[in-house]
Amino acid sequence: MTAKGYRLIRRPWRVRRPLYYGMVFELLGIVGVLVLFGIQQPDVFRTQFWEIGHLMGWNSSPNMILYAYANHQPLPTVPFVWSQLLTDFNVAISVVSLFILLVKMIMIIMKVFYPVLGLIVSLGLTVLYTVSVYGQAGPDYADPEHPSSVPWYIAKSCSVARPFNAKKNCQIAKGAFAVTIYMLVLYLANFTVSIWSMWPNKMLDMYDDDDRDSDGDQESKPKGKQPVVNVTALHGGSPSTGYYGNKEWEMQPTQQPPTSPRAVHMSGAMGGGHGGVEAPMFTPRTQAFHALDRRLPLRSG
């Protein structure tokens, strides 16, 4: 178990419960955006809202492109809020969000979803949903006489769309905008948790995952106190000049009970007691010497 420096890749999460619970809320939001954005594809009520806003004097006209063709003028730029690009973009990010969630669930089960990956994923999705929120609530300055900083279906009540039989569509658009904000807040929270987990921490940077696993294995084993012996003292050496150095070796009993006077003598030399015969103790090094000297404990007696 060795001390380590700052780890960028294989770094543990500081908290895991928000990560698990966040996936549940993320799944609910993804289902919402998939349904609401799918309803709007390809152009269920986008052009309708554009036309209603023009009739009420709240934004530009969807016929400006036809006017440009008829008058041989340069084609105007369609505001992002009324463009087909925004509709396709919203559907795309909802599908991508579902795919990323499935991959993240698999990686969490396999314990390979580290904070650095969460940071990258949450940052990317935060940017995508920020663009979506901006597009849905974006301005329309194509007509200088009817500028609009926010679309009417967001800034106003849906009751104004009742004469055009578009109240239900207006409510769907408001719901899609609300769920998009919900997803943006959720990914911002994931981004914050990822940054917090990536922040340097002495306790998290101290040991590797392998070290913690080995510690857990050692803690799971029964802690039986084994006798130790100073090998240098046994063989008459000194801590500075002895062959074995100043090391302590854990003593282990042999597998068979002692039946010979030699085994009884070894047991007494090792402090086995006086009330009975105990198994002789040995270290890996002394066992090797016995093997060289043809005096293994199995052949004693």
Side-chain angles (χ1 to χ4, degrees), residues 144-155:
E145 296 182 0
H146 303 92
S148 172
S149 58
V150 180
W152 65 266
Y153 64 86
I154 292 178

Side-chain angles (χ1 to χ4, degrees), residues 43-63 82 140 143 146-148 150-171 173-174:
D43 184 11
V44 175
F45 45 75
R46 183 185 68 254
T47 304
Q48 181 188 26
F49 288 170
W50 194 1
E51 180 66 26
I52 293 174
H54 172 67
L55 295 176
M56 301 297 292
W58 296 329
N59 51 246
S60 61
S61 172
N63 297 324
W82 308 121
D140 177 9
D143 188 353
H146 303 92
S148 172
V150 180
W152 65 266
Y153 64 86
I154 292 178
K156 302 181 182 300
S157 173
C158 289
S159 60
V160 299
R162 182 178 289 115
F164 304 95
N165 296 323
K167 182 178 179 180
K168 184 177 181 180
N169 293 340
C170 176
Q171 293 173 346
K174 280 182 177 291

Side-chain angles (χ1 to χ4, degrees), residues 263-277:
V264 174
H265 176 72
M266 289 178 63
S267 176
M270 292 295 180
H274 304 283
V277 178

